[in-house]
Amino acid sequence: MKQNKDILSCAHPLKEERSEPLPFQIPKPAEEDPEAPLRLKKILSSASYRQADQDVDFLNQDELRSFRLQVDFLKAEQTLKENRVDNTIVVFGGTRIKEPGESKRKVDGLKAALESKPNDPVLLRKLEVAERVYAKSHYYNIAREFGRLVGESRRQAPEHPCVIMTGGGPGLMEAANRGAYDSGALTVGLNINLPYEQFPNPYITPELCFRFHYFAMRKLHFLLRAKALVVFPGGYGTFDELFETLTLMQTRKIKQTPVVLVGESFWKKAFNVDFLICEGVIDPEDRELFWYAETAEEIWQSILDWYNINGEPLI
């Protein structure tokens, strides 16, 4: 068959480079205008010339907050969907409660320091606090074991496994991520951008470790896929997430979800729910929004039982 010369002379569809450059591909030379190169340099370095989606100063303006909120949500949303993370068990707890060995070393170090300054009030106070933290360090092992149990449950539901999700920090959140990591399961961390540098714990699945700009978007992702909330002893951040979840369930803004408070003795001192009921600021039925547990097995089994009782098995 005779080939059409007009077709053969057309540009190849896969050819990217031109044989001859277009006029705008060549900057105006100094030979034509000695000041042209300097003028062009100023133009190229001008903020107005930056491509909008690559201009960080532009994107950080107050007027762009709505856009930043969207992308803050969408990046994690898309990535979690791509990795088929549909069901999460969210774990919160104090960042200061570390492994027993690490906590013990801190106590020993302070005791050694007190030998030369036995009556130093600052060291005595630090030792008192360190011993209290050490007394709670067994929760690290419980959180780690719980993370392992959740991670291993994926073998029963490989298509829709439950995935451990934490705030991504050290302490008890690290322990839960670590337990899931020990079992070979995926594990998620939702970090937040803060004025001071922070590091995610090393047991999060690299592709599932996020850093949010806005607390609101981070909180949203904590609850969007949550099948249960497990709360270990902690401070302001832990209380923030716990009470926000309880409020959303109390007001029926979200459906009822298991909330397990680990360590009854700690929580009854930190949060006197019976006092609130007696004072009339919450109703007796609001006490039923959570329960206590002490061991990893008890936490996990109570969550499974809750779903079975409600006719929708978790696994």
Side-chain angles (χ1 to χ4, degrees), residues 126-314:
K126 286 184 177 180
L127 177 60
E128 180 184 354
V129 172
E131 288 177 333
R132 287 181 176 273
V133 172
Y134 176 48
K136 291 187 285 291
S137 63
H138 68 284
Y139 288 117
Y140 186 99
N141 294 333
I142 295 172
R144 183 175 179 179
E145 175 63 13
F146 176 71
R148 185 189 64 80
L149 290 174
V150 175
E152 289 182 347
S153 72
R154 73 188 185 282
R155 298 188 178 95
Q156 298 172 260
E159 295 300 316
H160 300 284
C162 286
V163 179
I164 287 288
M165 175 182 281
T166 77
L172 296 175
M173 291 179 287
E174 171 191 293
N177 287 129
R178 188 174 184 177
Y181 171 84
D182 291 339
S183 74
L186 295 177
T187 181
V188 182
L190 307 186
N191 287 73
I192 187 74
N193 183 33
L194 296 172
Y196 43 86
E197 186 176 11
Q198 62 165 348
F199 295 97
N201 73 67
Y203 305 105
I204 303 166
T205 302
E207 297 78 15
L208 295 174
C209 187
F210 304 95
R211 183 170 62 168
F212 289 85
H213 182 88
Y214 293 103
F215 272 101
M217 292 300 103
R218 182 180 186 238
K219 290 172 181 287
L220 181 58
H221 276 294
F222 275 136
L223 294 180
L224 268 180
R225 297 167 173 81
K227 295 299 181 182
L229 181 70
V230 178
V231 192
F232 286 82
Y236 282 165
T238 303
F239 277 62
D240 174 39
E241 302 297 347
L242 168 62
F243 286 117
E244 181 170 58
T245 303
L246 293 178
T247 301
L248 290 171
M249 292 200 302
Q250 178 197 50
T251 57
R252 302 303 191 264
K253 285 292 289 184
I254 62 173
K255 66 179 182 179
Q256 305 301 288
T257 303
V259 175
V260 186
L261 305 187
V262 185
E264 184 173 0
S265 61
F266 172 88
W267 284 109
K268 283 197 169 181
K269 289 181 180 179
F271 167 36
N272 190 339
V273 65
D274 294 323
F275 171 76
L276 297 179
I277 293 171
C278 290
E279 290 295 306
V281 293
I282 63 172
D283 294 320
E285 66 181 279
D286 296 324
R287 170 62 184 80
E288 301 169 4
L289 295 175
F290 63 88
W291 65 82
Y292 302 107
E294 302 298 330
T295 67
E297 292 78 8
E298 186 181 354
I299 300 165
W300 185 227
Q301 189 59 53
S302 67
I303 293 171
L304 295 176
D305 291 344
W306 188 93
Y307 277 95
N308 287 332
I309 290 171
N310 284 279
E312 48 173 330
L314 182 60

